[in-house]
Amino acid sequence: MNNAALEGIRVLDFSHALAGPYATLLLADFGARVYKLENRAGGDMGRGWGPPFVGSHSSFFLGLNRGKLGISVDLKQPAGIDLCLRLIEKMDVLIENFRPGTMHRLGLGYPAAAARNPRLVYCSISGYGQAGPSRDEAAMDLIVECSSGFMSITGTEAGEQVRSGYAVADINAGLYAVIGILMALRAREQTGLGQHLDISMLDGMISAMSSNYMTFLGSGNVPGPLGSGFPTVVPYRVFEASDRSFSIAIGSEKLWSTFCRAIERPDLESHPDYSTNALRVRNRQALEPILAEVFRQRTMQEWVDRFHAAGIPCSPVRTFAEVAEHPQTKVRELFPTIDTPAGPHRVTGTPIKMSATPARIGPPAPELGEHSALVLSELLGLDAPELDSLAQAGVIVPGRR
């Protein structure tokens, strides 16, 4: 049995910023050998996304690129492109998130890559996909949150739109990329051939909002923002206790009965306006102020303790500091510490727990081109004089040997 789920899989990672690096982080955690290939001119833009910085790395970059080997090649030189094509011959997966057409212009598009390595799984991540009228539009997370309709349903009840608290369009794309790569590797076992994956941030956002879009497609009613509320379940939102906020989610009539008893308002259980979820949704503007007044009478902890004892879903609105020190996240090993040249630093752990082939938290993110000489020697058999010649010509950043 292999010690890692993806042992033996080689990934050539041309990606930058967040979506692609998040995908390859997950692959690296489960044993894939990820070669992070950056252009000589500054490398991944995420290197500069700070403060905070840990030594020479932004904390953002450090957390997303641990466990990878760093190669730096000048993609404007023919010799640099030739090195990339030779590396492609040795790979199982290639991932890139340049604007559509960029890799083709470099001579590294899927047709050229597949000609050198027909078994290659080639994954392209972009804002809007490789085809369509929006193909060439510049996109980042905020832009796709808007263009997908996500921001139109995310915001205050007064109608003010709010960006997601995390880069949801980027992370969705990274997750769909990993899913697609694993499916393509499975298909390759049957056919012997790789294929091109076209992952769009827009597609991912619309798919992730399937329940929201199905409500719209079924009713024709255009939804708007509901703050912390939910369009088809009530009560399901954040409320204020006497000291701080907490959330509740009452997803069934059985829970509604239990909830009414827990808040000592049995009159609400069979009230003709609130006795079913459909009625509560229809009359949310009357019901929610009643509940808000009830919740202001006790502290958050009193309500949470009472609801947990009754089996009612609820939680304080925790801060990052509270989450990072919570006993549950410690048991789940969600904030491991890695050693960096600047000292110990906490990062986020893997969300996937496997009994036989668990994830392994890799070494810190590489310096720009740190492993170029090591990788080119190991994979392509280049000797010291050849490496020195490439470094002197500015084709590679040689790094350590």
Side-chain angles (χ1 to χ4, degrees):
M1 180 184 296
N2 288 330
N3 293 323
L6 298 177
E7 193 84 34
I9 297 296
R10 291 174 175 171
V11 181
L12 189 57
D13 181 7
F14 283 87
S15 69
H16 58 277
L18 179 50
Y22 181 70
T24 53
L25 172 67
L26 294 177
L27 298 174
D29 278 352
F30 285 92
R33 187 87 160 167
V34 176
Y35 302 92
K36 184 174 180 64
L37 195 148
E38 301 174 80
N39 203 346
R40 288 204 60 189
D44 186 337
M45 67 176 73
R47 289 182 176 274
W49 284 3
F53 289 93
V54 180
S56 61
H57 296 240
S58 72
S59 186
F60 172 95
F61 182 85
L62 183 69
L64 283 164
N65 292 285
R66 55 178 167 74
K68 304 174 186 179
L69 297 171
I71 317 169
S72 185
V73 175
D74 188 348
L75 299 179
K76 293 183 178 180
Q77 293 199 46
I81 299 301
D82 179 65
L83 283 177
C84 291
L85 289 169
R86 292 170 67 187
L87 287 170
I88 283 170
E89 294 176 358
K90 307 292 185 179
M91 297 295 147
D92 298 285
V93 177
L94 181 153
I95 186 166
E96 59 93 8
N97 62 346
F98 295 114
R99 282 206 201 180
T102 300
M103 290 289 277
H104 287 281
R105 289 192 292 274
L106 290 171
L108 298 171
Y110 177 65
R116 300 290 285 260
N117 181 359
R119 290 176 52 81
L120 183 71
V121 173
Y122 189 114
C123 179
S124 297
I125 302 175
S126 62
Y128 299 107
Q130 303 297 308
S134 298
R135 171 186 183 268
D136 295 322
E137 293 180 18
M140 293 190 74
D141 180 86
L142 171 64
I143 307 307
V144 179
E145 286 190 32
C146 291
S147 64
S148 65
F150 174 81
M151 198 171 286
S152 73
I153 61 168
T154 305
T156 67
E157 290 170 278
E160 179 185 3
Q161 276 78 45
V162 177
R163 186 187 71 83
S164 169
Y166 76 102
V168 60
D170 275 315
I171 296 301
N172 274 354
L175 290 172
Y176 286 122
V178 170
I179 294 167
I181 287 167
L182 297 179
M183 288 193 292
L185 289 172
R186 176 68 180 91
R188 189 180 72 174
E189 293 178 6
Q190 300 169 307
T191 66
L193 297 174
Q195 58 187 293
H196 186 203
L197 309 182
D198 177 4
I199 304 295
S200 155
M201 294 166 69
L202 175 71
D203 298 358
M205 286 298 289
I206 291 173
S207 178
M209 291 187 288
S210 288
S211 63
N212 305 80
Y213 268 103
M214 291 313 300
T215 299
F216 161 69
L217 294 169
S219 69
N221 297 324
V222 177
L226 289 172
S228 63
F230 191 69
T232 57
V233 180
V234 172
Y236 188 109
R237 63 170 302 144
V238 170
F239 287 95
E240 292 293 329
S242 63
D243 55 346
R244 60 181 292 187
S245 54
F246 70 100
S247 61
I248 57 168
I250 310 302
S252 71
E253 304 311 341
K254 181 180 179 180
L255 272 178
W256 172 246
S257 298
T258 304
F259 169 76
C260 290
R261 292 193 295 272
I263 66 171
E264 300 174 0
R265 288 297 303 269
D267 57 302
L268 295 176
E269 180 180 352
S270 58
H271 192 287
D273 290 339
Y274 314 130
S275 60
T276 68
N277 182 69
L279 288 169
R280 293 193 295 275
V281 169
R282 192 173 304 139
N283 296 301
R284 75 166 69 226
Q285 292 184 342
L287 175 60
E288 288 178 345
I290 294 172
L291 299 179
E293 180 57 32
V294 171
F295 292 137
R296 282 193 287 266
Q297 306 308 310
R298 299 178 187 271
T299 66
M300 176 275 294
Q301 196 60 55
E302 288 179 285
W303 286 120
V304 168
D305 289 344
R306 182 175 291 210
F307 291 148
H308 280 169
I312 294 169
C314 68
S315 175
V317 180
R318 294 191 180 114
T319 66
F320 274 30
E322 290 173 318
V323 173
E325 298 305 322
H326 195 276
Q328 184 66 21
T329 63
K330 291 183 178 180
V331 168
R332 301 296 291 175
E333 299 179 331
L334 289 174
F335 296 100
T337 299
I338 62 173
D339 292 322
T340 78
H345 187 66
R346 292 176 80 186
V347 296
T348 54
T350 179
I352 304 167
K353 312 300 183 186
M354 299 178 68
S355 63
T357 54
R360 294 179 294 192
I361 304 303
E367 302 292 341
L368 182 63
E370 179 179 351
H371 305 103
S372 296
L374 177 70
V375 170
L376 295 174
S377 173
E378 177 186 285
L379 295 185
L380 303 185
L382 300 189
D383 58 23
E386 289 174 302
L387 293 169
D388 289 339
S389 177
L390 289 169
Q392 291 169 8
V395 176
I396 65 169
V397 173
R400 61 181 174 85
R401 299 184 186 179

